[in-house]
């Protein structure tokens, strides 16, 4: 039979798209449990920070293996308050990665400290411990590690540089809830002094918007908690219940970063299936590896032997030298095949603000820049079916083959 279109021809050139229906890069999976718990909160008469937020904090501390957890309205808020609580301010330097979401670096500016960027490792896209040593000065107060995509940084190698100098580690673990390094859960004080998680809509566990800071340090936890609600010395829900008191004192000009019980209810529902979510992510990754492992036109992300990867992202790297199109065009072609993708991340120093404030241009971080030029993040979320995964594999192979140089 003669078909007017060919399955091998890119959809952008009139071929049949791999999928009829668009596949987004990530979709949250909200189940009956989440709906039930949200309803319970709505009907309880207590919808802001209260018992559900406290319950979620306990469970996040349990997952992260820490004594304390403070739930807030975003990972950005958790990172900001952690820097405040650690006393970071003007004149201090904070080292982090250029291959991250802007929130990681914005918070350094929020406390009027100076961001110092250090290039990443080519395999994990995490901060390169060997290069970290050269960026440390007497002013370095904190290193913000970023467990990129859910792969923990090399904490032993990082701590070999920071610990002797009394430099603290704040982990931006927005991608890494459920990950582990040498058997220690991300969050553990063996890795970082404070760890921030994100419960944004696309993250491995969501509350719609939300985040948490975890730590073993009671004083830091107390300070983060205080600063998350105006610097008031008592939580509102304790004030207004009959066991509490109307009295409070403001001991610092804090922020309004508290989590609502409606959001916490979503998180509590999600937590019941979190292990299942993580297992599904790992199975999808295995399917991607099986389906694309032999394709010489793309590089696949891996996990080092000593980590448990949280698999928040599946970023492939195009072998640009073997392709006739660039990354931007490859994304357009996948879009025409009805596959949604994204790029994680635009290097920090490529953004006009940081380019100007840090005075850095292209060439400053060759590994991050090279990774960025090749990067495409493929769909990865627990609700994807095996058929969805196979469509992504087919589309990547189709476009790579069609545009082989
Ligand atoms: C999503 C993300 C954040 C911000 O999380 P929010 O909860 O939206 O504030 C911070 N860092 C990284 C690396 C992220 O991907």
């Amino acid at each position: 039979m003669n078909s007017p279109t060919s399955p091998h021809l890119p959809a952008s050139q009139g071929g049949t798209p791999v999928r009829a229906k668009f596949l987004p890069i990530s979709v949250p999976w909200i189940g009956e449990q989440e709906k039930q718990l949200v309803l319970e909160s709505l009907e309880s008469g207590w919808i802001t920070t209260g018992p559900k937020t406290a319950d979620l904090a306990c469970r996040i501390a349990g997952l992260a293996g820490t004594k304390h957890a403070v739930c807030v309205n975003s990972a950005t808020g958790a990172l900001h308050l952690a820097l405040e609580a650690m006393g970071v301010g003007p004149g201090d330097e904070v080292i982090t990665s250029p291959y991250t979401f802007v929130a990681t670096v914005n918070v350094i500016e929020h406390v009027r400290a100076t961001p110092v960027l250090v290039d990443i490792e080519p395999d994990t896209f995490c901060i390169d411990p060997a290069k970290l040593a050269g960026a440390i000065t007497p002013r370095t107060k904190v290193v913000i590690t970023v467990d990129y995509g859910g792969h923990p940084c090399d904490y032993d190698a990082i701590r070999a540089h920071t610990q002797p100098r009394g430099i603290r580690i704040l982990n931006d673990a927005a991608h890494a809830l459920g990950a582990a390094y040498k058997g220690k859960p991300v969050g553990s004080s063996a890795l970082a002094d404070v760890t921030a998680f994100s419960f944004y809509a696309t993250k491995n566990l969501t509350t719609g918007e939300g985040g948490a800071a975890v730590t073993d340090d009671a004083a830091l936890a107390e300070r983060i908690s205080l600063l998350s609600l105006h610097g008031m010395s008592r939580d509102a829900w304790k004030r207004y219940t009959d066991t509490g008191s109307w009295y409070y004192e403001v001991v610092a000009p804090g922020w309004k970063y508290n989590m609502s019980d409606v959001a916490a209810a979503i998180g509590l529902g999600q937590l019941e299936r979190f292990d299942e979510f993580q297992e599904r992510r790992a199975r999808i990754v295995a399917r991607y590896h099986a389906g694309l492992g032999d394709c010489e036109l793309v590089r696949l992300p891996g996990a080092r032997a000593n980590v448990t990867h949280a698999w928040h992202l599946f970023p492939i790297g195009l072998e640009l030298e073997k392709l006739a199109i660039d990354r931007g065009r490859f994304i357009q072609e996948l879009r025409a095949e009805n596959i949604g993708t994204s790029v994680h991340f635009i290097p920090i120093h490529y953004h006009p603000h940081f380019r100007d404030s840090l005075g850095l241009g292209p060439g400053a971080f060759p590994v991050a820049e090279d990774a960025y030029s090749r990067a495409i993040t493929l769909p990865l979320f627990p609700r994807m079916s095996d058929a969805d995964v196979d469509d992504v594999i087919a589309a990547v192979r189709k476009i790579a083959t069609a545009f082989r140089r």
Side-chain angles (χ1 to χ4, degrees):
M1 274 227 312
N2 260 341
S3 165
T5 59
S6 154
H8 304 295
L9 196 62
S12 68
Q13 296 172 9
T16 310
V18 163
R19 284 173 66 91
K21 188 165 174 269
F22 181 67
L23 178 72
I25 181 172
S26 179
V27 184
W29 194 348
I30 301 298
E32 280 312 309
Q33 195 64 16
E34 285 88 328
K35 293 177 195 169
Q36 210 47 51
L37 286 161
V38 166
L39 207 60
E40 199 178 289
S41 173
L42 292 177
E43 287 174 349
S44 74
W46 199 276
I47 59 175
T48 184
T49 311
K52 287 206 160 37
T53 305
D55 193 7
L56 182 65
C58 275
R59 299 204 196 185
I60 294 299
L63 256 182
T66 56
K67 293 188 184 133
H68 311 281
V70 182
C71 284
V72 288
N73 61 4
S74 68
T76 308
L79 291 165
H80 176 196
L81 296 185
L83 289 178
E84 286 282 348
M86 289 172 166
V88 180
D92 295 331
E93 292 173 0
V94 177
I95 297 176
T96 194
S97 160
Y99 209 50
T100 184
F101 184 56
V102 287
T104 322
V105 191
N106 279 348
V107 295
I108 301 171
E109 296 212 2
H110 292 165
V111 299
R112 308 266 177 265
T114 306
V116 175
L117 304 180
V118 168
D119 210 353
I120 54 172
E121 300 171 320
D123 58 333
T124 64
F125 304 145
C126 291
I127 196 164
D128 188 332
K131 291 177 182 156
L132 177 66
I136 291 173
T137 77
R139 296 184 152 194
T140 308
K141 198 132 181 197
V142 171
V143 172
I144 306 183
T145 52
V146 179
D147 293 339
Y148 177 93
H151 192 297
C153 296
D154 188 351
Y155 285 98
D156 283 350
I158 290 168
R159 292 174 73 95
H161 299 301
T162 58
Q163 216 159 9
R165 298 174 175 89
I167 297 165
R168 298 220 249 194
I169 296 180
L170 169 57
N171 184 7
D172 179 343
H175 302 171
L177 185 69
Y181 173 79
K182 297 189 177 175
K184 295 172 188 110
V186 161
S188 161
S189 60
L191 311 183
D193 296 274
V194 180
T195 296
F197 296 115
S198 174
F199 310 136
Y200 179 68
T202 60
K203 301 290 160 71
N204 287 23
L205 181 133
T206 187
T207 60
E209 295 279 0
V214 300
T215 181
D216 275 348
D217 186 321
L220 285 177
E222 175 70 32
R223 189 74 184 167
I224 291 168
S225 173
L226 189 87
L227 293 175
S228 73
L229 196 59
H230 303 300
M232 285 158 63
S233 67
R234 303 195 75 165
D235 287 342
W237 72 287
K238 286 184 195 152
R239 263 189 296 134
Y240 290 119
T241 51
D242 48 14
T243 55
S245 150
W246 52 269
Y247 188 73
Y248 62 88
E249 290 176 334
V250 171
V251 297
W255 284 265
K256 172 66 183 174
Y257 287 175
N258 57 306
M259 175 180 278
S260 81
D261 263 25
V262 177
I266 301 174
L268 287 169
Q270 291 262 294
L271 266 180
E272 307 216 344
R273 289 179 297 149
F274 185 65
D275 289 347
E276 195 188 310
F277 286 170
Q278 292 303 95
E279 279 165 28
R280 179 68 193 140
R281 283 180 181 275
R283 278 204 300 277
I284 291 168
V285 166
R287 200 169 181 92
Y288 272 142
H289 276 275
L292 289 170
D294 67 335
C295 178
E296 56 174 25
L297 302 171
V298 297
R299 304 173 187 173
L300 306 183
R304 289 189 183 167
N306 57 12
V307 307
T308 302
H309 200 312
W311 289 116
H312 172 56
L313 301 176
F314 195 80
I316 62 167
L318 301 181
E319 295 293 359
L320 294 171
E321 297 75 6
K322 298 175 187 161
L323 291 168
I325 57 174
D326 67 6
R327 187 270 318 280
R329 175 74 186 281
F330 205 105
I331 285 177
Q332 280 176 20
E333 295 293 337
L334 288 177
R335 179 67 186 78
E337 304 295 335
N338 279 323
I339 305 294
T341 61
S342 189
V343 174
H344 298 88
F345 289 97
I346 302 163
I348 291 296
H349 64 299
Y350 281 11
H351 294 293
H353 169 71
F354 295 103
R355 180 191 63 210
D356 298 345
S357 69
L358 302 175
L360 296 170
F365 306 107
V367 182
E369 291 168 21
D370 182 67
Y372 168 65
S373 71
R374 306 169 182 279
I376 300 181
T377 306
L378 300 183
L380 174 54
F381 53 99
R383 209 176 186 174
M384 275 176 90
S385 67
D386 285 350
D388 291 334
V389 181
D390 293 344
D391 285 344
V392 179
I393 292 166
V396 169
R397 297 189 80 104
K398 176 182 176 182
I399 298 306
T401 308
F403 294 98
R404 182 195 288 267
R405 196 194 289 270

